[in-house]
Amino acid sequence: FKFNRHEIKPNSEEIVLLKKSFGNIDINSIDDIIRINSLVIKKIKHGLIGKFPISIKQVLKNKKGLCYDRSLILQKIMIYNDYL
């Protein structure tokens, strides 16, 4: 993972979109991780977008994605917080 971290590090546009979609994305405790995980599952419904490569912008706009779309969102939030 550490070798590919630069590939999935959220850019400034993605950070704005993540905050707009999920509100406070700061992680200070395990409760924040659980809260954010629950928000992603609740707000991003299971469904195929059909866009490749994966686009966080499209996932957030369409409010749907597959498990790897949700996982990428969570990874970007964790990296934003220097948690990974």
Side-chain angles (χ1 to χ4, degrees):
F1 174 76
K2 291 195 183 265
F3 298 111
N4 293 324
R5 180 184 177 130
H6 69 279
E7 295 292 331
I8 58 173
K9 184 176 181 182
N11 61 41
S12 57
E13 179 185 12
E14 289 173 333
I15 292 168
V16 169
L17 291 171
L18 289 167
K19 288 180 178 181
K20 182 179 177 186
S21 296
F22 303 113
N24 180 8
I25 60 169
D26 293 335
I27 296 174
N28 297 306
S29 69
I30 189 72
D31 291 336
D32 292 329
I33 295 172
I34 293 168
R35 176 184 55 79
I36 291 169
N37 185 62
S38 295
L39 276 173
V40 170
I41 292 169
K42 180 180 177 181
K43 291 190 173 196
I44 306 299
K45 303 300 180 197
H46 185 78
L48 180 63
I49 294 176
K51 293 274 185 181
F52 292 98
I54 298 171
S55 167
I56 294 301
K57 186 176 181 179
Q58 288 298 317
V59 172
L60 295 174
K61 176 184 171 190
N62 293 311
K63 297 182 181 174
K64 70 178 181 177
L66 297 176
C67 56
Y68 53 81
D69 297 306
R70 292 177 182 159
S71 175
L72 184 59
I73 288 170
L74 291 170
Q75 289 177 47
K76 285 181 178 281
I77 292 171
M78 297 289 270
I79 290 171
Y80 165 77
N81 282 280
D82 276 335
Y83 216 83
L84 295 176

